[in-house]
């Protein structure tokens, strides 16, 4: 199968390129250097020219705090470029898997969000991704949208890697404990992508690992595993703090757990718990 992956140097795009290539697919990964998706009016034509069977759109403006100051760029990438990628897919009769986020939700409810819940984002990033989903569906109604959350993996920048660095440098780390979500490993997301692509599904699906956690829980689990795996650890303690003590430009949802009933019906395997996948990732990336 011919697969085009955008955002190929990002954490999820890189994982997708490596995994689908290893399975023998004809994969082309592109990033800003090859094609700036927000840079010109002929993005749809450029995407269509790849004549891919599948396009996996992992490209996104993901700087959640900086987006509050760079709203125009965030919307250009997350909404307008997503629309152009969908238009390109329509032109070349390619299937499209577009990736989105839990941050489209405001986090005011106490039960997991469903695929058909309406976006009520708190941030520019979240709103730009929500409008991006709608732009994709308007341009290509048979597109697949995969919403995921709290992504980490071996490639690119993420919370888990930042924690490992800080644990080696500092005696004490403060981590927010009143935002609840589900840490999710890129390798598990790509496996779910593959299952969705093989199933011929369309529409919106949620995928995360199982379980819920605060950022503090995630940091604590990393610390519990890191020394035995040979990661350098200097830190003496991790302090849980409320988000109100960690001022950020962008507001984050207090509760952004994504319900997975829909994708569970389709998967032929059990989704791993976030702790299990975190240990797999830490083991695989150990020094
Ligand atoms: N990270 C998370 O926790 C998280 C959570 C939920 C959902 N998601 C979603 O998952 C997807 C992948 O995220 P990620 O964590 O892999 O992000 P990432 O590591 O920041 O990668 C995003 C990629 O998009 C590229 N990109 C940005 N602007 C572009 C443009 N104008 N033209 C072409 N490429 C451009 C970036 O290139 P440069 O590096 O050159 O800018 C980067 O390679 C996104 O849709 C994101 O919204 C992420």
């Amino acid at each position: 199968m011919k697969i085009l992956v955008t955002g190929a140097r990002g954490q999820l795009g890189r994982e997708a390129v490596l995994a689908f290539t290893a399975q023998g697919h004809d994969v082309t990964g592109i990033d800003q250097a090859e094609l700036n998706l927000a840079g010109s009016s002929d993005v749809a034509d450029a995407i269509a020219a790849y004549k891919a069977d599948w396009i996996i759109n992992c490209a996104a403006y993901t700087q959640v705090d900086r987006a509050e100051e760079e709203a125009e760029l965030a919307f250009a990438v997350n909404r307008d470029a997503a629309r152009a990628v969908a238009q390109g897919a329509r032109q070349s009769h390619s299937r499209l898997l577009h990736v989105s986020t839990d941050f489209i939700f405001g986090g005011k409810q106490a039960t997991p969000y469903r695929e058909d819940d309406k976006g009520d984002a708190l941030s520019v990033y979240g709103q730009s991704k929500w409008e991006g989903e709608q732009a994709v569906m308007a341009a290509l109604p048979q597109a697949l949208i995969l919403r995921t959350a709290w992504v980490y993996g071996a490639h690119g920048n993420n919370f888990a890697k930042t924690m490992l660095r800080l644990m080696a440098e500092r005696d004490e780390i403060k981590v927010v404990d009143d935002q609840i979500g589900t840490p999710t490993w890129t390798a598990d997301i790509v496996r779910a992508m593959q299952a969705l692509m093989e199933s011929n599904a369309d529409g919106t699906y949620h995928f995360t690992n199982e379980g819920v956690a605060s950022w503090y829980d995630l940091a604590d689990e990393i610390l519990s595993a890191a020394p035995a795996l040979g990661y350098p650890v200097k830190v003496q303690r991790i302090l849980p703090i409320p988000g109100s003590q960690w001022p950020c430009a962008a507001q984050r949802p207090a509760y952004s757990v994504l319900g997975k009933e829909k994708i569970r019906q389709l998967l032929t395997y059990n989704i791993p718990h976030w702790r299990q996948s975190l240990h797999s990732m830490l083991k695989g990336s150990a020094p």
Side-chain angles (χ1 to χ4, degrees), residues 99-116:
V99 183
S100 193
T101 173
D102 57 329
F103 276 26
I104 68 157
F105 295 122
K108 293 176 193 81
Q109 62 184 56
T111 51
Y113 282 94
R114 292 165 44 100
E115 282 80 355
D116 52 7

Side-chain angles (χ1 to χ4, degrees), residues 51-68:
K51 297 192 188 318
D53 299 305
W54 272 95
I55 298 166
I56 304 177
N57 190 24
C58 295
Y61 180 105
T62 58
Q63 303 294 314
V64 177
D65 290 310
R66 206 191 303 164
E68 298 297 312

